[in-house]
Amino acid sequence: MKIALDALGGDYGAKPNVLGALKAAKTLGIHVILVGDEAVIKRELAELGYTQALPAGISIVHAPDTIDMGAEPAKECRNKKGASIVVCADLVHKGEADAFVSAGHSGAAMVASLFRIGRIKGVVRPAIATPMPTYKGVSLLLDGGANADCKPIHLLQFAVMGSAYMEKVFDLKSPSVRILSIGEEETKGNFLVKHTIPHMREIGVNFQGTLEGRDVNTGETDVIICDGFVGNIVLKMAEGLAKTMIHMIKREVKKRPLAILGALLARGAFKAVKDHTNPDCYGGAPLVGVNGVAIISHGKSNETAIFHALKTAKRLVEKNFVGDIASRIASLKDTFSAIEAEMQEEDK
């Protein structure tokens, strides 16, 4: 199996990508294609002792350009055919790679996937599916930011694709699905939520009603559905809250000698919590709905995060994740068409 990796993507340059790729090639039995400036990649490998030949399971595809983080993604992808993210997506499109991983510009990864790989037939909009640590384990939130404005048909398809992901990656049978709202009552919420809920029971997912924001991290559901605007705010707020709580605890502990002793005694418990909530261990966020496996990793990904992203990509390829979604969407073609027709009538 060959997986393309955007070798210069992310805030820390080539090093974490190369280290993560080396570990994946050695322990996962995959071939990693490092995509990026060849001179930079070879220099990084040379610093690790690979001066004469490339490591086993590693190859390089030269991509001289990078995506400007401050530029408009679609324009950058059109104008820079040699950008590493575009080349990664192109390798998947040509069948020269089975999947790709990037910690670079998430918007560009989305655009490149749509331009070069395309959508699964019947999928209206792909979504970013983000694993979130919870009290009980892991929940999947989608959309994590790909679609700021959504219609009911989009959320319904997110539910189908999110359910498929939890079944394939986390081996859950009939994962529960809830839609994020402002109350437990299904009569509450905005237009999008209230017009999506009635149709959730028509698409074959294990729909359990609505979910309030306070329950996002409790693990009450396996799949959390919302539009990308809300989803991205939820993710960023959760990340910021976690960091703030850690800093506050450290600050208060340092003020109290006995608390310092207690913290030392509880060090094992603190580490366990840190490991469970560490996003590096969840393998990035798959872009579900595109006609190939694409994993979007955090910009601050280290080698552990890159390794787990490659591991997730491998698992999705092995489980025929794309084919499974295509089959589910195709089986619901008439249902989705009827729902869209009903929505159009209501808009008149």
Side-chain angles (χ1 to χ4, degrees):
M1 182 186 301
K2 293 184 177 181
I3 300 177
L5 173 63
D6 181 6
L8 271 66
D11 298 346
Y12 305 129
K15 184 176 287 296
N17 290 297
V18 170
L19 290 172
L22 291 172
K23 182 178 179 181
K26 182 178 180 179
T27 62
L28 300 178
I30 62 175
H31 184 101
V32 182
I33 306 170
L34 296 174
V35 181
D37 190 307
E38 186 172 11
V40 176
I41 296 172
K42 285 188 172 180
R43 185 164 60 247
E44 196 65 50
L45 287 169
E47 291 180 4
L48 296 170
Y50 300 98
T51 57
Q52 301 301 319
L54 293 177
I58 298 291
S59 61
I60 298 174
V61 169
H62 181 57
D65 297 326
T66 57
I67 298 294
D68 183 354
M69 294 298 287
E72 202 279 317
K75 184 177 180 181
E76 285 282 281
C77 290
R78 279 194 296 265
N79 295 338
K80 294 182 177 179
K81 304 297 184 183
S84 54
I85 291 179
V86 177
V87 174
C88 281
D90 203 42
L91 289 171
V92 175
H93 169 68
K94 293 177 180 177
E96 296 175 18
D98 299 291
F100 86 84
V101 172
S102 175
H105 195 304
S106 59
M110 172 80 165
V111 171
S113 296
L114 289 173
F115 280 4
R116 301 305 303 146
I117 304 174
R119 292 173 293 177
I120 293 171
K121 185 177 181 180
V123 172
V124 182
R125 290 188 186 179
I128 297 174
T130 308
M132 294 189 67
T134 70
Y135 182 74
K136 296 182 179 179
V138 181
S139 292
L140 188 74
L141 183 144
L142 64 169
D143 179 21
N147 306 280
D149 296 302
C150 289
K151 296 179 179 179
I153 190 65
H154 304 144
L155 299 195
L156 295 169
Q157 291 194 343
F158 295 169
V160 173
M161 296 188 290
S163 294
Y165 182 86
M166 294 303 282
E167 288 180 18
K168 294 294 184 180
V169 176
F170 292 96
D171 294 322
L172 293 178
K173 293 183 179 180
S174 189
S176 58
V177 179
R178 292 180 185 268
I179 187 168
L180 193 59
S181 188
I182 59 172
E184 295 180 357
E185 300 84 0
E186 296 186 4
T187 54
K188 291 185 177 179
N190 57 12
F191 178 91
L192 176 62
V193 170
K194 288 190 287 187
H195 283 72
T196 301
I197 287 174
H199 301 294
M200 276 286 188
R201 295 182 174 88
E202 302 173 20
I203 58 174
V205 300
N206 182 17
F207 182 59
Q208 298 292 317
T210 60
L211 183 79
E212 294 188 73
R214 66 188 177 195
D215 295 321
V216 166
N217 295 111
T218 63
E220 294 301 317
T221 190
D222 300 312
V223 182
I224 303 169
I225 301 301
C226 59
D227 63 66
F229 183 86
V230 171
N232 194 260
I233 291 175
V234 169
L235 294 174
K236 297 295 176 58
M237 183 174 180
E239 182 181 349
L241 179 60
K243 290 180 180 179
T244 300
M245 290 300 295
I246 290 172
H247 290 316
M248 289 173 65
I249 290 171
K250 287 182 177 179
R251 182 185 65 191
E252 296 305 317
V253 166
K254 289 177 180 179
K255 292 179 181 179
R256 300 164 175 82
L258 286 177
I260 295 174
L261 176 60
L264 291 173
L265 293 173
R267 183 164 50 186
F270 287 146
K271 184 180 184 303
V273 172
K274 181 180 179 181
D275 291 343
H276 178 65
T277 58
N278 185 357
D280 297 338
C281 298
Y282 293 98
L287 184 57
V288 297
V290 296
N291 197 27
V293 174
I295 304 292
I296 299 175
S297 295
H298 198 287
K300 298 187 182 300
S301 292
N302 56 25
E303 65 177 282
T304 300
I306 296 300
F307 168 78
H308 282 288
L310 291 166
K311 184 177 181 179
T312 299
K314 176 179 183 284
R315 184 170 179 82
L316 291 177
V317 173
E318 290 175 336
K319 292 283 189 176
N320 190 28
F321 176 62
V322 172
D324 184 47
I325 287 182
S327 177
R328 295 184 192 217
I329 295 296
S331 69
L332 291 166
K333 178 182 177 181
D334 292 341
T335 301
F336 287 140
S337 295
I339 292 171
E340 286 192 283
E342 181 180 327
M343 293 292 103
Q344 290 173 358
E345 283 297 317
E346 291 182 3
D347 289 340
K348 290 182 180 179

